Amino acid sequence: MAVLHEIHRGAGSPDQLWKALLDIEAFPSYMGGVNEVEITGEKDGLRESSWVVELKGSEMEWEQEDVIDAERRRVAFRQVDGDLALYEGYWQVVEDAEGTGLELKVEFDIGLPMVAEMIHPAVAKALEGYQRDIVGQSV
């Protein structure tokens, strides 16, 4: 299992960043490697979605459940079915003395111990890239 915990800062407002974070179906239009995102259900702060992402030439697919807390500007997510052994965490819009940022904390495991040392860093790098892309989209 691997854990990534990062905050990336940007010039956008918290409202702009929150709007960009929630618009997951737009992710494939500006995130390299994110091939498809489809919202499959949404009700009372819960959202279900399906994802197809390419990493190092391999496609990974999963179904995800999000708990959206608009008051805290936080989206907690977890894979409910898919290719990863573990994928869960949260996105949080933060505003403090350093400015506006997007916090990501995620725990993930590809479920293949023999290659985890090679693949986990690539997954972490991709996630950090997605985080920067969302921040960049919010300007």
Side-chain angles (χ1 to χ4, degrees), residues 28-44:
S29 70
Y30 65 89
M31 287 182 182
V34 177
N35 297 341
E36 296 176 36
V37 180
E38 180 184 356
I39 295 172
T40 57
E42 198 163 10
K43 184 178 179 182
D44 299 329

Side-chain angles (χ1 to χ4, degrees), residues 11-75:
S13 73
D15 287 339
Q16 290 169 314
L17 187 49
W18 179 242
K19 182 178 177 183
L21 177 61
L22 290 179
D23 191 10
I24 62 173
E25 288 184 318
F27 287 3
S29 70
Y30 65 89
M31 287 182 182
V34 177
N35 297 341
E36 296 176 36
V37 180
E38 180 184 356
I39 295 172
T40 57
E42 198 163 10
K43 184 178 179 182
D44 299 329
L46 294 177
R47 177 175 64 195
E48 297 170 347
S49 55
S50 62
W51 295 71
V52 179
V53 173
E54 189 173 326
L55 182 68
K56 291 192 150 294
S58 296
E59 243 183 27
M60 297 189 310
E61 299 183 29
W62 69 90
E63 303 294 320
Q64 181 171 307
E65 179 182 81
D66 299 332
V67 177
I68 300 169
D69 183 342
E71 187 175 317
R72 293 174 58 201
R73 291 188 179 122
R74 180 182 176 112
V75 177

Side-chain angles (χ1 to χ4, degrees), residues 51 60-64 79-86 110:
W51 295 71
M60 297 189 310
E61 299 183 29
W62 69 90
E63 303 294 320
Q64 181 171 307
Q79 173 188 275
V80 293
D81 187 36
D83 293 338
L84 296 165
L86 173 69
I110 61 164

Side-chain angles (χ1 to χ4, degrees), residues 55-128:
L55 182 68
K56 291 192 150 294
S58 296
E59 243 183 27
M60 297 189 310
E61 299 183 29
W62 69 90
E63 303 294 320
Q64 181 171 307
E65 179 182 81
D66 299 332
V67 177
I68 300 169
D69 183 342
E71 187 175 317
R72 293 174 58 201
R73 291 188 179 122
R74 180 182 176 112
V75 177
F77 60 87
R78 69 180 184 90
Q79 173 188 275
V80 293
D81 187 36
D83 293 338
L84 296 165
L86 173 69
Y87 182 65
E88 64 184 24
Y90 66 85
W91 297 94
Q92 173 89 47
V93 175
V94 296
E95 186 178 24
D96 56 25
E98 295 180 49
T100 300
L102 182 60
E103 179 181 9
L104 169 63
K105 182 170 185 188
V106 59
E107 297 179 18
F108 60 93
D109 189 342
I110 61 164
L112 301 169
M114 301 289 278
V115 295
E117 284 187 32
M118 293 184 315
I119 301 297
H120 283 173
V123 172
K125 184 177 179 180
L127 289 167
E128 287 182 60

